[in-house]
Amino acid sequence: MIERKIRAYKNFFGDFMDTLDEGAEQKIYYSLDMLKIQQRISKKFVDHIREGIYELKAEYEGNIYRVFFCFDEGYVVILFHGFQKKTQKIPENEIRKAINLKKEYYASK
């Protein structure tokens, strides 16, 4: 069994989680727990977007929540920001924001 470490970059993820009710938070943490310990995760929970950006998905009471992340050195997961998805397609501005945060993260290392 693997154990990936979860690390949040700055306070984007925490700020997002602060906006959610307890049930939605628990669903996101459930998905994170799977990401920590499972080697392969269903596309229902994790999907590659582009440029090394992935999305973690959680559904609660008909709402779909997304959290963008990337892998650092193959085992550490860096969480960026999250949002509630209201359409089928991921908004381009959310993807660009995640890509820019990834670049900022690596530049600050």
Side-chain angles (χ1 to χ4, degrees), residues 81-98:
H81 68 295
F83 64 99
Q84 183 177 347
K85 187 173 171 186
K86 298 182 181 191
T87 63
Q88 281 296 99
K89 190 172 180 179
I90 301 170
E92 185 62 30
N93 66 318
E94 295 290 349
I95 295 170
R96 279 195 308 274
K97 181 178 178 182

Side-chain angles (χ1 to χ4, degrees), residues 7-109:
R7 181 186 307 160
Y9 178 59
K10 295 191 175 179
N11 58 351
F12 301 107
F13 179 69
D15 289 348
F16 169 66
M17 294 298 280
D18 288 345
T19 68
L20 304 177
D21 66 32
E22 187 177 336
E25 277 186 22
Q26 287 178 350
K27 281 292 210 171
I28 290 172
Y29 284 125
Y30 172 79
S31 296
L32 282 173
D33 285 342
M34 284 195 306
L35 186 59
K36 280 183 189 179
I37 62 171
Q38 292 186 10
Q39 184 68 35
R40 296 179 81 59
I41 303 167
S42 164
K43 285 189 103 170
K44 177 181 177 182
F45 296 103
V46 172
D47 202 6
H48 181 257
I49 303 302
R50 68 173 180 248
E51 296 184 43
I53 297 291
Y54 294 81
E55 67 172 340
L56 177 78
K57 307 172 201 178
E59 186 174 343
Y60 177 69
E61 292 187 346
N63 296 307
I64 300 170
Y65 301 93
R66 303 287 199 250
V67 176
F68 288 123
F69 68 93
C70 71
F71 293 99
D72 183 13
E73 299 176 9
Y75 64 94
V76 177
V77 178
I78 308 303
L79 298 176
F80 295 123
H81 68 295
F83 64 99
Q84 183 177 347
K85 187 173 171 186
K86 298 182 181 191
T87 63
Q88 281 296 99
K89 190 172 180 179
I90 301 170
E92 185 62 30
N93 66 318
E94 295 290 349
I95 295 170
R96 279 195 308 274
K97 181 178 178 182
I99 290 168
N100 288 336
L101 286 171
K102 177 185 168 201
K103 290 176 184 175
E104 180 184 303
Y105 165 76
Y106 281 108
S108 71
K109 281 183 74 172

